[in-house]
């Protein structure tokens, strides 16, 4: 308590001293290069480990992942990527998603990329996904691949079932 009282008592004197002092030269701001020298250590976007999947682009017929162009639909679980048979939203069935009955650890979320436009997910598929313990998010394929990147970079266990962007039922 005595330390606090002493600090409070010294505060007015300190304030007066600071007002009287006027620096002869203007204070320079630190160099931005020096201020951001840790940038490379915290930049998640550019420093992705080589074994981590990263969607870098998309076309009407496929995706670019880690610098390689893939045609058709893709199924990604963590850092595993597979070619996937559905060509349009109506082709997605519980059978086409049956890998999630055996994959461990179970992803916390499945992101379905529905092509160019957001499309409704069959209630039977929603029920199946819930039964596995995952959450489901259905968005257009462009946003699905971006969301996958973010969640995967955070180290979360995530899955994506992506139709090419040009697909529309």
């Amino acid at each position: 308590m005595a330390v606090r009282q002493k600090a409070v008592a010294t505060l007015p004197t300190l304030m007066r001293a600071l007002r009287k002092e006027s620096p002869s030269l203007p204070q320079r701001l630190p160099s931005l290069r020096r201020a951001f020298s840790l940038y490379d250590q915290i930049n998640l976007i550019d420093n992705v480990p080589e074994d981590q999947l990263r969607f870098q682009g998309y076309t009407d017929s496929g995706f670019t992942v880690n610098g390689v162009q893939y045609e058709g639909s893709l199924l990604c679980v963590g850092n595993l990527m597979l070619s996937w048979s559905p060509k349009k939203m109506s082709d997605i069935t519980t059978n086409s998603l049956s890998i999630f009955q055996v994959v461990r650890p179970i992803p916390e979320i499945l992101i379905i990329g529905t092509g160019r436009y957001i499309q409704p997910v069959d209630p039977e598929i929603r029920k199946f996904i819930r039964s596995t313990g995952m959450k489901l998010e259905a968005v257009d394929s462009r946003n699905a691949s971006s969301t996958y990147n973010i969640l995967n970079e955070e180290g979360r266990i995530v899955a994506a079932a992506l139709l090419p962007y040009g697909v529309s039922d």
Side-chain angles (χ1 to χ4, degrees):
M1 192 70 159
V3 175
R4 178 184 163 101
Q5 288 174 343
K6 187 175 181 181
V8 170
T10 354
L11 190 58
T13 309
L14 180 61
M15 293 299 291
R16 279 192 296 270
L18 289 174
R19 284 189 196 129
K20 287 180 185 176
E21 284 184 25
S22 60
S24 56
L25 296 173
Q27 293 289 330
R28 290 181 42 165
L29 292 173
S31 160
L32 287 178
R33 179 171 288 151
R34 199 172 321 123
F36 292 103
S37 63
L38 297 177
Y39 175 77
D40 290 333
Q41 296 173 17
I42 61 172
N43 183 0
L44 295 176
I45 294 172
D46 293 334
N47 290 333
V48 177
E50 289 182 22
D51 64 338
Q52 189 171 28
L53 292 181
R54 173 140 179 84
F55 286 87
Q56 297 166 316
Y58 62 93
T59 64
D60 282 350
S61 60
F63 301 90
T64 304
V65 183
N66 293 6
V68 179
Q69 178 69 36
Y70 295 92
E71 294 295 315
S73 302
L74 297 176
L75 185 65
C76 303
V77 181
N79 290 316
L80 172 69
M81 184 175 60
L82 307 165
S83 181
W84 194 42
S85 61
K87 304 285 185 238
K88 56 188 178 193
M89 195 64 187
S90 58
D91 292 343
I92 298 176
T93 63
T94 56
N95 191 39
S96 68
L97 297 170
S98 63
I99 189 172
F100 296 111
Q101 291 176 316
V102 294
V103 82
R104 295 296 181 265
I106 298 169
E108 59 185 272
I109 186 168
L110 170 63
I111 305 162
I112 295 181
T114 60
R116 187 175 305 273
Y117 305 105
I118 298 173
Q119 299 179 42
V121 177
D122 184 302
E124 185 180 321
I125 293 171
R126 285 189 179 281
K127 183 179 176 183
F128 170 75
I129 294 302
R130 259 189 313 241
S131 75
T132 64
M134 291 187 294
K135 294 178 179 136
L136 176 66
E137 183 73 29
V139 294
D140 63 279
S141 293
R142 178 183 62 168
N143 287 312
S145 58
S146 176
T147 302
Y148 176 86
N149 282 347
I150 292 167
L151 295 175
N152 198 28
E153 287 170 10
E154 288 177 353
R156 295 171 65 184
I157 301 171
V158 61
L162 305 169
L163 298 172
Y165 191 68
V167 170
S168 60
D169 269 349

